[in-house]
Amino acid sequence: MVRRSAGTWTLQSTLHRHGLGPVAGVDEAGRGACAGPLVVAACVLRPADATRFEGLTDSKLLTAAAREEFFTLITRRAADHCIVVIPPAEVDRRGVHVANIEGMRRAVAGLSQRPGYVLTDGFAVRGFGVPALAVPKGDLVAACVAASSVLAKVTRDRIMVELDRRLPQYGFALHKGYCTPVHDAALTTHGPCAEHRYSFVNVAGAAAAAGAERVLVHNGSGTSSGHPVMAAGGGVGS
């Protein structure tokens, strides 16, 4: 039995002492967003590196600057890591939960060395080919899971900033594709693009409204509405 108060390296150290290492943590970023990719990361930290990663925790609790610093440190010092980017179309096709699970399996499979044990954040995942444990609030409890959360979030945030340069009308750099009033207003004005997840209710509704508006304008005046929107099943070219 490992108590949460014992520290974020205790679970990994305990597994190592019992011959179950290396221990990989897995986490994702962008699960609840309605635009942009789902990013999943797996990470193995060196047991002796605890002092180097002092302050490492759930990426959402870190400042953007701290996340960037930890991202650099993790990619330099981690024993192993793998980052998987799942595009919106795959999220739509599989469903966000199934895409997330499959992404976790792919991230672990992408490690250069097969781990002896896998720690996941919050819910159980099968199919790693090695023992795994679901850890409630894993990114707060296990350092390797926290490291994975940083890798996933920083990677995804960088992707959303780049998308903002290509599609500035949506404000992706501000809200990172999550459902906010600013994002909803942009969807209403411009309709969704190819980077949106059409399986999400708000995006599907915006696509339907944009399509209806375009048809009404075309039938009434023969001119385009001027909005960069897509017909059902399409999107702005990326």
Side-chain angles (χ1 to χ4, degrees), residues 26-48:
V26 189
D27 204 2
E28 85 285 330
R31 181 183 174 95
C34 66
L38 175 66
V39 179
V40 184
C43 186
V44 178
L45 297 179
R46 304 175 194 277

Side-chain angles (χ1 to χ4, degrees), residues 50 108 113 170 191 201:
V108 171
Q113 180 182 358
Y170 294 105
V201 172

Side-chain angles (χ1 to χ4, degrees), residues 8 14 24 30 51 58 78 82 107 116 138 202 211:
T8 59
T14 300
T51 57
D58 177 4
C82 179
N202 62 325

Side-chain angles (χ1 to χ4, degrees), residues 4 8 27 58 120-123 134-142 145-146:
R4 182 179 302 176
T8 59
D27 204 2
D58 177 4
T120 59
D121 182 22
F123 54 87
V135 183
K137 298 188 181 300
D139 42 16
L140 293 172
V141 177
V145 178

Side-chain angles (χ1 to χ4, degrees), residues 43-216:
C43 186
V44 178
L45 297 179
R46 304 175 194 277
D49 270 357
T51 57
R52 293 179 179 270
F53 288 98
E54 184 176 356
L56 176 62
T57 186
D58 177 4
S59 62
K60 296 185 291 296
L61 301 180
L62 298 170
T63 65
R67 285 195 296 268
E68 288 286 348
E69 291 179 3
F70 274 121
F71 183 92
T72 300
L73 180 60
I74 292 164
T75 53
R76 288 177 179 173
R77 292 293 309 177
D80 205 352
H81 72 278
C82 179
I83 301 171
V84 173
V85 179
I86 303 168
E90 184 175 344
V91 175
D92 283 341
R93 185 173 69 253
R94 292 179 177 271
V96 66
H97 183 67
V98 173
N100 190 21
I101 296 296
E102 179 60 24
M104 289 182 169
R105 292 171 181 152
R106 287 161 56 188
V108 171
L111 296 171
S112 59
Q113 180 182 358
R114 184 175 180 176
Y117 213 95
V118 176
L119 302 178
T120 59
D121 182 22
F123 54 87
V125 180
R126 299 178 179 177
F128 292 127
V130 297
L133 176 67
V135 183
K137 298 188 181 300
D139 42 16
L140 293 172
V141 177
C144 56
V145 178
S148 296
S149 77
V150 169
L151 292 177
K153 181 163 178 55
V154 171
T155 298
R156 188 176 187 280
D157 283 355
R158 290 176 178 178
I159 291 172
M160 298 310 294
V161 170
E162 179 58 31
L163 288 177
D164 185 73
R165 296 191 183 102
R166 291 168 41 205
L167 301 163
Q169 66 269 34
Y170 294 105
F172 288 142
L174 175 65
H175 50 68
K176 305 300 190 295
Y178 286 90
C179 303
T180 68
V182 170
H183 194 181
D184 287 342
L187 276 171
T188 299
T189 301
H190 304 288
C193 70
E195 304 301 335
H196 282 94
R197 302 177 187 177
Y198 285 75
S199 56
F200 280 57
V201 172
N202 62 325
V203 176
E213 178 185 354
R214 191 166 64 238
V215 169
L216 288 172

